[in-house]
Amino acid sequence: MKNIADIRQEYTKSGLRESELPCDPLSLFSRWLQEAIDANVEEPTAVIVGTVSPEGRPSTRTVLLKGLHDGKFIFYTNYESRKGRQLHIEGTAAKVSPEESDEYFRKRPYKSRIGARISPQSQPIASRMQLIRAFVKEAARWLGKEVERPDNWGGYAVTPTRMEFWQGRPNRLHDRFLYTLKTDGK
């Protein structure tokens, strides 16, 4: 195996210049996301959500960003999962309306909707076979019917109050710019 300490990448693409930064960090985010999509980056919408337990233990989970609406980042998950119970994000997080969750849920593939209904997120399971049996039973229950969104599944909208952009540069002289939301909303 290659020594991982020797793995290094030299960053040679263009940097960030303060004079060229937009006033709105969401427009820069949207541009970077579109560039990742256009470059066929695998899972360009994967984002990390950090949570903290009441005891102060941090945890992170990868979720897929499903929208950017009215300055809020939207993702969907099981509300009873660890990432759904405790959110600690540099910004404010709130559940989206049941109607918004229903609308997105209906767009998910059939098997993903069934999986959302039976998956005991963040809970131990006896076996994979138990999970498969529960999936088959639930799929049969909804055969020929519209699969309803379970109450414990839906979306969150995160309103950012702090966004940091990092761009690698040659010689590790990277660019890093921090946007913070002011009390006046700008």
Side-chain angles (χ1 to χ4, degrees), residues 4-61:
I4 62 172
D6 294 335
I7 297 172
R8 187 160 298 289
Q9 170 145 355
E10 190 63 37
Y11 302 100
T12 58
K13 293 187 178 181
S14 65
L16 289 173
R17 290 169 186 76
E18 188 171 7
S19 62
E20 297 172 4
L21 291 175
C23 293
D24 179 8
L26 297 177
S27 64
L28 181 56
F29 172 82
S30 295
R31 186 175 84 209
W32 280 20
L33 177 59
Q34 190 59 55
E35 287 173 4
I37 292 168
D38 292 345
N40 294 315
V41 169
E42 281 194 45
E43 297 292 4
T45 63
V47 297
I48 305 298
V49 173
T51 63
V52 179
S53 73
E55 300 79 29
R57 287 192 302 269
S59 175
T60 60
R61 295 286 194 280

Short mmCIF file of all heavy atoms in Angstrom, two decimals, residues 4-61:
data_model
loop_
_atom_site.label_atom_id
_atom_site.label_comp_id
_atom_site.label_asym_id
_atom_site.label_seq_id
_atom_site.Cartn_x
_atom_site.Cartn_y
_atom_site.Cartn_z
N ILE A 4 0.15 6.84 2.76
CA ILE A 4 -0.84 7.91 2.57
C ILE A 4 -0.29 9.28 2.92
O ILE A 4 -0.80 10.29 2.45
CB ILE A 4 -2.15 7.61 3.34
CG1 ILE A 4 -1.91 7.52 4.84
CG2 ILE A 4 -2.82 6.38 2.81
CD1 ILE A 4 -3.19 7.44 5.65
N ALA A 5 0.75 9.33 3.72
CA ALA A 5 1.36 10.63 4.04
C ALA A 5 2.01 11.26 2.81
O ALA A 5 2.23 12.47 2.76
CB ALA A 5 2.38 10.47 5.15
N ASP A 6 2.30 10.42 1.81
CA ASP A 6 2.95 10.93 0.58
C ASP A 6 1.95 11.38 -0.48
O ASP A 6 2.33 11.91 -1.51
CB ASP A 6 3.85 9.84 -0.03
CG ASP A 6 5.03 9.52 0.88
OD1 ASP A 6 5.42 10.39 1.69
OD2 ASP A 6 5.54 8.39 0.79
N ILE A 7 0.68 11.14 -0.25
CA ILE A 7 -0.33 11.55 -1.23
C ILE A 7 -0.55 13.05 -1.10
O ILE A 7 -0.83 13.57 -0.02
CB ILE A 7 -1.65 10.79 -1.00
CG1 ILE A 7 -1.43 9.29 -1.21
CG2 ILE A 7 -2.74 11.32 -1.94
CD1 ILE A 7 -2.63 8.44 -0.84
N ARG A 8 -0.38 13.74 -2.20
CA ARG A 8 -0.48 15.19 -2.17
C ARG A 8 -0.98 15.66 -3.51
O ARG A 8 -0.64 15.12 -4.54
CB ARG A 8 0.90 15.79 -1.88
CG ARG A 8 0.85 17.26 -1.66
CD ARG A 8 2.04 17.83 -0.92
NE ARG A 8 2.32 17.40 0.41
CZ ARG A 8 1.61 17.69 1.50
NH1 ARG A 8 0.50 18.35 1.40
NH2 ARG A 8 2.01 17.31 2.68
N GLN A 9 -1.78 16.67 -3.49
CA GLN A 9 -2.28 17.26 -4.72
C GLN A 9 -1.85 18.71 -4.78
O GLN A 9 -1.94 19.44 -3.79
CB GLN A 9 -3.80 17.19 -4.76
CG GLN A 9 -4.38 18.00 -5.88
CD GLN A 9 -5.61 17.36 -6.48
OE1 GLN A 9 -5.98 16.27 -6.11
NE2 GLN A 9 -6.21 18.04 -7.41
N GLU A 10 -1.39 19.12 -5.93
CA GLU A 10 -1.04 20.53 -6.12
C GLU A 10 -2.25 21.20 -6.76
O GLU A 10 -2.78 20.74 -7.76
CB GLU A 10 0.18 20.66 -7.04
CG GLU A 10 0.75 22.05 -7.11
CD GLU A 10 1.28 22.58 -5.79
OE1 GLU A 10 1.86 21.81 -5.00
OE2 GLU A 10 1.10 23.78 -5.54
N TYR A 11 -2.72 22.26 -6.15
CA TYR A 11 -3.90 22.97 -6.63
C TYR A 11 -3.46 24.06 -7.60
O TYR A 11 -2.76 24.99 -7.23
CB TYR A 11 -4.66 23.59 -5.46
CG TYR A 11 -5.08 22.56 -4.45
CD1 TYR A 11 -4.36 22.37 -3.28
CD2 TYR A 11 -6.19 21.75 -4.68
CE1 TYR A 11 -4.74 21.41 -2.36
CE2 TYR A 11 -6.57 20.79 -3.77
CZ TYR A 11 -5.84 20.63 -2.60
OH TYR A 11 -6.22 19.67 -1.70
N THR A 12 -3.89 23.90 -8.85
CA THR A 12 -3.41 24.84 -9.88
C THR A 12 -4.52 25.61 -10.56
O THR A 12 -4.25 26.44 -11.43
CB THR A 12 -2.63 24.07 -10.97
OG1 THR A 12 -3.48 23.07 -11.52
CG2 THR A 12 -1.38 23.41 -10.38
N LYS A 13 -5.77 25.32 -10.20
CA LYS A 13 -6.86 26.05 -10.84
C LYS A 13 -6.92 27.47 -10.31
O LYS A 13 -6.25 27.82 -9.35
CB LYS A 13 -8.18 25.33 -10.61
CG LYS A 13 -8.22 23.99 -11.32
CD LYS A 13 -9.56 23.36 -11.23
CE LYS A 13 -9.51 22.05 -12.00
NZ LYS A 13 -10.76 21.37 -12.00
N SER A 14 -7.77 28.27 -10.91
CA SER A 14 -7.86 29.67 -10.51
C SER A 14 -8.26 29.80 -9.05
O SER A 14 -8.93 28.94 -8.50
CB SER A 14 -8.86 30.41 -11.39
OG SER A 14 -10.15 29.89 -11.17
N GLY A 15 -7.85 30.87 -8.46
CA GLY A 15 -8.16 31.12 -7.05
C GLY A 15 -9.38 31.99 -6.90
O GLY A 15 -10.08 32.31 -7.85
N LEU A 16 -9.62 32.37 -5.67
CA LEU A 16 -10.70 33.31 -5.36
C LEU A 16 -10.08 34.67 -5.11
O LEU A 16 -9.08 34.77 -4.41
CB LEU A 16 -11.44 32.86 -4.08
CG LEU A 16 -12.31 31.63 -4.18
CD1 LEU A 16 -12.83 31.24 -2.81
CD2 LEU A 16 -13.47 31.90 -5.11
N ARG A 17 -10.67 35.66 -5.67
CA ARG A 17 -10.19 37.02 -5.45
C ARG A 17 -11.31 37.81 -4.78
O ARG A 17 -12.45 37.80 -5.24
CB ARG A 17 -9.79 37.66 -6.77
CG ARG A 17 -8.53 37.04 -7.34
CD ARG A 17 -8.25 37.47 -8.77
NE ARG A 17 -7.12 36.75 -9.31
CZ ARG A 17 -7.17 35.48 -9.72
NH1 ARG A 17 -8.28 34.80 -9.66
NH2 ARG A 17 -6.09 34.89 -10.22
N GLU A 18 -10.97 38.46 -3.70
CA GLU A 18 -11.99 39.18 -2.94
C GLU A 18 -12.74 40.17 -3.81
O GLU A 18 -13.96 40.31 -3.70
CB GLU A 18 -11.34 39.90 -1.74
CG GLU A 18 -12.35 40.50 -0.81
CD GLU A 18 -11.73 41.02 0.47
OE1 GLU A 18 -10.50 41.04 0.59
OE2 GLU A 18 -12.51 41.41 1.34
N SER A 19 -12.03 40.80 -4.73
CA SER A 19 -12.67 41.80 -5.59
C SER A 19 -13.69 41.19 -6.54
O SER A 19 -14.55 41.89 -7.05
CB SER A 19 -11.61 42.54 -6.40
OG SER A 19 -10.91 41.63 -7.24
N GLU A 20 -13.62 39.87 -6.77
CA GLU A 20 -14.54 39.20 -7.68
C GLU A 20 -15.64 38.43 -6.96
O GLU A 20 -16.48 37.81 -7.60
CB GLU A 20 -13.75 38.25 -8.59
CG GLU A 20 -12.76 38.97 -9.48
CD GLU A 20 -11.85 38.01 -10.23
OE1 GLU A 20 -12.04 36.78 -10.12
OE2 GLU A 20 -10.95 38.49 -10.93
N LEU A 21 -15.64 38.45 -5.63
CA LEU A 21 -16.65 37.71 -4.87
C LEU A 21 -17.99 38.41 -4.94
O LEU A 21 -18.08 39.62 -4.80
CB LEU A 21 -16.23 37.58 -3.40
CG LEU A 21 -15.04 36.69 -3.11
CD1 LEU A 21 -14.68 36.75 -1.63
CD2 LEU A 21 -15.33 35.26 -3.52
N PRO A 22 -19.08 37.65 -5.14
CA PRO A 22 -20.40 38.26 -5.12
C PRO A 22 -20.78 38.64 -3.68
O PRO A 22 -20.25 38.07 -2.72
CB PRO A 22 -21.31 37.15 -5.64
CG PRO A 22 -20.60 35.89 -5.31
CD PRO A 22 -19.13 36.21 -5.39
N CYS A 23 -21.67 39.58 -3.54
CA CYS A 23 -22.15 39.95 -2.20
C CYS A 23 -22.93 38.81 -1.56
O CYS A 23 -22.92 38.66 -0.35
CB CYS A 23 -23.03 41.20 -2.28
SG CYS A 23 -22.13 42.68 -2.74
N ASP A 24 -23.60 38.02 -2.37
CA ASP A 24 -24.43 36.93 -1.87
C ASP A 24 -23.68 35.61 -1.98
O ASP A 24 -23.41 35.14 -3.09
CB ASP A 24 -25.73 36.87 -2.69
CG ASP A 24 -26.65 35.76 -2.27
OD1 ASP A 24 -26.38 35.10 -1.24
OD2 ASP A 24 -27.64 35.52 -2.98
N PRO A 25 -23.35 34.97 -0.86
CA PRO A 25 -22.62 33.71 -0.94
C PRO A 25 -23.42 32.58 -1.60
O PRO A 25 -22.83 31.65 -2.14
CB PRO A 25 -22.32 33.37 0.53
CG PRO A 25 -23.37 34.08 1.30
CD PRO A 25 -23.66 35.33 0.53
N LEU A 26 -24.74 32.69 -1.60
CA LEU A 26 -25.55 31.64 -2.22
C LEU A 26 -25.35 31.61 -3.73
O LEU A 26 -25.44 30.55 -4.35
CB LEU A 26 -27.02 31.82 -1.86
CG LEU A 26 -27.33 31.68 -0.36
CD1 LEU A 26 -28.79 31.94 -0.10
CD2 LEU A 26 -26.90 30.34 0.17
N SER A 27 -25.07 32.76 -4.33
CA SER A 27 -24.82 32.77 -5.77
C SER A 27 -23.47 32.09 -6.08
O SER A 27 -23.36 31.37 -7.07
CB SER A 27 -24.86 34.19 -6.34
OG SER A 27 -23.84 34.98 -5.81
N LEU A 28 -22.48 32.28 -5.21
CA LEU A 28 -21.19 31.60 -5.38
C LEU A 28 -21.38 30.09 -5.18
O LEU A 28 -20.88 29.29 -5.95
CB LEU A 28 -20.15 32.15 -4.42
CG LEU A 28 -18.75 31.55 -4.51
CD1 LEU A 28 -18.18 31.67 -5.91
CD2 LEU A 28 -17.83 32.22 -3.49
N PHE A 29 -22.14 29.72 -4.15
CA PHE A 29 -22.43 28.31 -3.92
C PHE A 29 -23.12 27.70 -5.15
O PHE A 29 -22.73 26.61 -5.60
CB PHE A 29 -23.31 28.12 -2.68
CG PHE A 29 -23.79 26.71 -2.53
CD1 PHE A 29 -22.98 25.76 -1.94
CD2 PHE A 29 -25.03 26.33 -3.02
CE1 PHE A 29 -23.40 24.44 -1.83
CE2 PHE A 29 -25.45 25.02 -2.92
CZ PHE A 29 -24.64 24.08 -2.32
N SER A 30 -24.12 28.37 -5.68
CA SER A 30 -24.86 27.86 -6.84
C SER A 30 -23.93 27.68 -8.04
O SER A 30 -24.03 26.69 -8.77
CB SER A 30 -26.01 28.79 -7.20
OG SER A 30 -26.97 28.80 -6.17
N ARG A 31 -23.02 28.62 -8.23
CA ARG A 31 -22.08 28.51 -9.34
C ARG A 31 -21.17 27.30 -9.15
O ARG A 31 -20.95 26.53 -10.09
CB ARG A 31 -21.25 29.80 -9.46
CG ARG A 31 -20.36 29.80 -10.70
CD ARG A 31 -19.63 31.10 -10.88
NE ARG A 31 -18.42 31.06 -10.06
CZ ARG A 31 -17.84 32.12 -9.51
NH1 ARG A 31 -18.35 33.32 -9.68
NH2 ARG A 31 -16.75 32.00 -8.81
N TRP A 32 -20.64 27.13 -7.93
CA TRP A 32 -19.75 25.99 -7.67
C TRP A 32 -20.51 24.67 -7.83
O TRP A 32 -19.98 23.70 -8.36
CB TRP A 32 -19.15 26.10 -6.28
CG TRP A 32 -17.99 27.05 -6.19
CD1 TRP A 32 -17.67 28.05 -7.06
CD2 TRP A 32 -17.00 27.07 -5.17
NE1 TRP A 32 -16.55 28.71 -6.63
CE2 TRP A 32 -16.12 28.12 -5.47
CE3 TRP A 32 -16.79 26.33 -4.03
CZ2 TRP A 32 -15.02 28.43 -4.67
CZ3 TRP A 32 -15.70 26.64 -3.23
CH2 TRP A 32 -14.82 27.68 -3.55
N LEU A 33 -21.75 24.62 -7.37
CA LEU A 33 -22.54 23.40 -7.50
C LEU A 33 -22.76 23.08 -8.98
O LEU A 33 -22.60 21.93 -9.41
CB LEU A 33 -23.89 23.54 -6.78
CG LEU A 33 -24.83 22.35 -6.91
CD1 LEU A 33 -24.20 21.07 -6.38
CD2 LEU A 33 -26.14 22.64 -6.21
N GLN A 34 -23.10 24.08 -9.78
CA GLN A 34 -23.32 23.85 -11.21
C GLN A 34 -22.04 23.38 -11.88
O GLN A 34 -22.07 22.51 -12.75
CB GLN A 34 -23.87 25.10 -11.88
CG GLN A 34 -24.34 24.86 -13.30
CD GLN A 34 -25.43 23.79 -13.38
OE1 GLN A 34 -26.45 23.89 -12.72
NE2 GLN A 34 -25.20 22.74 -14.16
N GLU A 35 -20.89 23.95 -11.48
CA GLU A 35 -19.61 23.51 -12.05
C GLU A 35 -19.35 22.03 -11.71
O GLU A 35 -18.87 21.27 -12.55
CB GLU A 35 -18.46 24.38 -11.53
CG GLU A 35 -18.45 25.77 -12.12
CD GLU A 35 -17.41 26.69 -11.48
OE1 GLU A 35 -16.63 26.24 -10.61
OE2 GLU A 35 -17.37 27.88 -11.87
N ALA A 36 -19.69 21.61 -10.50
CA ALA A 36 -19.51 20.22 -10.10
C ALA A 36 -20.44 19.31 -10.90
O ALA A 36 -20.03 18.23 -11.34
CB ALA A 36 -19.76 20.05 -8.60
N ILE A 37 -21.67 19.74 -11.10
CA ILE A 37 -22.63 18.96 -11.90
C ILE A 37 -22.14 18.85 -13.34
O ILE A 37 -22.13 17.76 -13.92
CB ILE A 37 -24.03 19.59 -11.83
CG1 ILE A 37 -24.61 19.46 -10.41
CG2 ILE A 37 -24.97 18.97 -12.87
CD1 ILE A 37 -25.85 20.30 -10.16
N ASP A 38 -21.70 19.98 -13.91
CA ASP A 38 -21.22 19.99 -15.29
C ASP A 38 -19.97 19.12 -15.47
O ASP A 38 -19.74 18.56 -16.54
CB ASP A 38 -20.92 21.41 -15.76
CG ASP A 38 -22.18 22.27 -15.88
OD1 ASP A 38 -23.29 21.70 -15.88
OD2 ASP A 38 -22.04 23.51 -15.94
N ALA A 39 -19.16 19.01 -14.41
CA ALA A 39 -17.93 18.21 -14.47
C ALA A 39 -18.20 16.74 -14.16
O ALA A 39 -17.26 15.94 -14.07
CB ALA A 39 -16.89 18.78 -13.49
N ASN A 40 -19.47 16.39 -13.98
CA ASN A 40 -19.86 15.01 -13.68
C ASN A 40 -19.21 14.47 -12.41
O ASN A 40 -18.84 13.30 -12.33
CB ASN A 40 -19.57 14.07 -14.85
CG ASN A 40 -20.44 14.39 -16.04
OD1 ASN A 40 -21.64 14.61 -15.91
ND2 ASN A 40 -19.82 14.46 -17.22
N VAL A 41 -19.07 15.34 -11.42
CA VAL A 41 -18.57 14.91 -10.11
C VAL A 41 -19.59 13.94 -9.52
O VAL A 41 -20.80 14.19 -9.59
CB VAL A 41 -18.38 16.13 -9.18
CG1 VAL A 41 -18.12 15.70 -7.75
CG2 VAL A 41 -17.26 17.03 -9.70
N GLU A 42 -19.11 12.82 -8.97
CA GLU A 42 -20.05 11.88 -8.35
C GLU A 42 -20.68 12.53 -7.12
O GLU A 42 -19.99 13.13 -6.31
CB GLU A 42 -19.32 10.60 -7.93
CG GLU A 42 -19.09 9.67 -9.10
CD GLU A 42 -18.68 8.28 -8.65
OE1 GLU A 42 -19.29 7.74 -7.72
OE2 GLU A 42 -17.72 7.78 -9.25
N GLU A 43 -21.98 12.40 -7.00
CA GLU A 43 -22.75 12.94 -5.87
C GLU A 43 -22.42 14.41 -5.59
O GLU A 43 -22.02 14.76 -4.48
CB GLU A 43 -22.53 12.10 -4.61
CG GLU A 43 -23.00 10.67 -4.72
CD GLU A 43 -24.51 10.50 -4.80
OE1 GLU A 43 -25.25 11.50 -4.86
OE2 GLU A 43 -24.94 9.34 -4.83
N PRO A 44 -22.60 15.28 -6.57
CA PRO A 44 -22.26 16.70 -6.35
C PRO A 44 -23.12 17.37 -5.29
O PRO A 44 -22.77 18.43 -4.79
CB PRO A 44 -22.47 17.33 -7.73
CG PRO A 44 -23.51 16.46 -8.37
CD PRO A 44 -23.20 15.06 -7.88
N THR A 45 -24.24 16.75 -4.93
CA THR A 45 -25.12 17.36 -3.92
C THR A 45 -24.90 16.80 -2.53
O THR A 45 -25.64 17.13 -1.60
CB THR A 45 -26.60 17.17 -4.31
OG1 THR A 45 -26.91 15.77 -4.32
CG2 THR A 45 -26.89 17.81 -5.66
N ALA A 46 -23.91 15.92 -2.36
CA ALA A 46 -23.62 15.37 -1.03
C ALA A 46 -23.11 16.48 -0.12
O ALA A 46 -22.19 17.24 -0.48
CB ALA A 46 -22.60 14.24 -1.13
N VAL A 47 -23.72 16.62 1.04
CA VAL A 47 -23.30 17.60 2.04
C VAL A 47 -23.19 16.91 3.39
O VAL A 47 -23.80 15.87 3.62
CB VAL A 47 -24.28 18.81 2.13
CG1 VAL A 47 -24.32 19.58 0.82
CG2 VAL A 47 -25.67 18.36 2.51
N ILE A 48 -22.42 17.48 4.26
CA ILE A 48 -22.22 16.92 5.60
C ILE A 48 -23.04 17.73 6.59
O ILE A 48 -22.94 18.96 6.62
CB ILE A 48 -20.74 16.95 6.02
CG1 ILE A 48 -19.86 16.25 4.98
CG2 ILE A 48 -20.55 16.36 7.41
CD1 ILE A 48 -20.15 14.79 4.78
N VAL A 49 -23.84 17.03 7.37
CA VAL A 49 -24.61 17.66 8.45
C VAL A 49 -23.99 17.23 9.76
O VAL A 49 -23.81 16.03 10.00
CB VAL A 49 -26.10 17.24 8.39
CG1 VAL A 49 -26.85 17.77 9.60
CG2 VAL A 49 -26.74 17.74 7.10
N GLY A 50 -23.64 18.18 10.59
CA GLY A 50 -23.07 17.88 11.89
C GLY A 50 -24.12 18.04 12.98
O GLY A 50 -24.91 18.98 12.95
N THR A 51 -24.13 17.08 13.90
CA THR A 51 -25.03 17.16 15.05
C THR A 51 -24.22 16.99 16.32
O THR A 51 -23.09 16.49 16.28
CB THR A 51 -26.12 16.07 14.99
OG1 THR A 51 -25.51 14.79 15.06
CG2 THR A 51 -26.96 16.18 13.73
N VAL A 52 -24.80 17.41 17.42
CA VAL A 52 -24.15 17.27 18.72
C VAL A 52 -25.18 16.69 19.68
O VAL A 52 -26.30 17.19 19.76
CB VAL A 52 -23.63 18.63 19.24
CG1 VAL A 52 -22.99 18.48 20.61
CG2 VAL A 52 -22.64 19.22 18.26
N SER A 53 -24.79 15.63 20.39
CA SER A 53 -25.69 15.02 21.35
C SER A 53 -25.83 15.93 22.57
O SER A 53 -25.02 16.84 22.77
CB SER A 53 -25.15 13.65 21.79
OG SER A 53 -24.03 13.82 22.65
N PRO A 54 -26.85 15.69 23.41
CA PRO A 54 -26.97 16.50 24.63
C PRO A 54 -25.72 16.42 25.51
O PRO A 54 -25.44 17.34 26.29
CB PRO A 54 -28.19 15.90 25.34
CG PRO A 54 -28.99 15.28 24.24
CD PRO A 54 -27.98 14.77 23.25
N GLU A 55 -24.96 15.32 25.37
CA GLU A 55 -23.72 15.17 26.15
C GLU A 55 -22.54 15.87 25.49
O GLU A 55 -21.44 15.85 26.01
CB GLU A 55 -23.39 13.68 26.32
CG GLU A 55 -24.44 12.87 27.05
CD GLU A 55 -25.63 12.49 26.17
OE1 GLU A 55 -25.46 12.34 24.93
OE2 GLU A 55 -26.73 12.38 26.71
N GLY A 56 -22.77 16.47 24.32
CA GLY A 56 -21.71 17.21 23.63
C GLY A 56 -20.89 16.37 22.67
O GLY A 56 -19.86 16.82 22.19
N ARG A 57 -21.31 15.14 22.35
CA ARG A 57 -20.57 14.30 21.41
C ARG A 57 -20.98 14.66 19.98
O ARG A 57 -22.15 14.54 19.62
CB ARG A 57 -20.85 12.82 21.69
CG ARG A 57 -20.16 12.32 22.93
CD ARG A 57 -20.20 10.81 23.04
NE ARG A 57 -21.55 10.28 23.03
CZ ARG A 57 -22.27 10.06 24.12
NH1 ARG A 57 -21.79 10.33 25.30
NH2 ARG A 57 -23.50 9.56 24.01
N PRO A 58 -20.00 15.05 19.16
CA PRO A 58 -20.33 15.41 17.78
C PRO A 58 -20.50 14.18 16.90
O PRO A 58 -19.96 13.12 17.18
CB PRO A 58 -19.12 16.23 17.33
CG PRO A 58 -18.00 15.70 18.15
CD PRO A 58 -18.60 15.29 19.48
N SER A 59 -21.27 14.34 15.85
CA SER A 59 -21.46 13.30 14.85
C SER A 59 -21.75 13.98 13.53
O SER A 59 -22.36 15.04 13.50
CB SER A 59 -22.65 12.41 15.25
OG SER A 59 -22.93 11.48 14.24
N THR A 60 -21.30 13.37 12.45
CA THR A 60 -21.61 13.90 11.13
C THR A 60 -22.24 12.81 10.29
O THR A 60 -21.99 11.63 10.48
CB THR A 60 -20.35 14.43 10.40
OG1 THR A 60 -19.42 13.37 10.26
CG2 THR A 60 -19.73 15.59 11.16
N ARG A 61 -23.06 13.23 9.36
CA ARG A 61 -23.71 12.33 8.42
C ARG A 61 -23.71 13.01 7.06
O ARG A 61 -23.84 14.24 6.97
CB ARG A 61 -25.16 12.06 8.80
CG ARG A 61 -25.36 11.31 10.08
CD ARG A 61 -24.98 9.83 9.90
NE ARG A 61 -25.45 9.01 10.99
CZ ARG A 61 -24.85 8.89 12.17
NH1 ARG A 61 -23.78 9.58 12.43
NH2 ARG A 61 -25.33 8.09 13.09
#
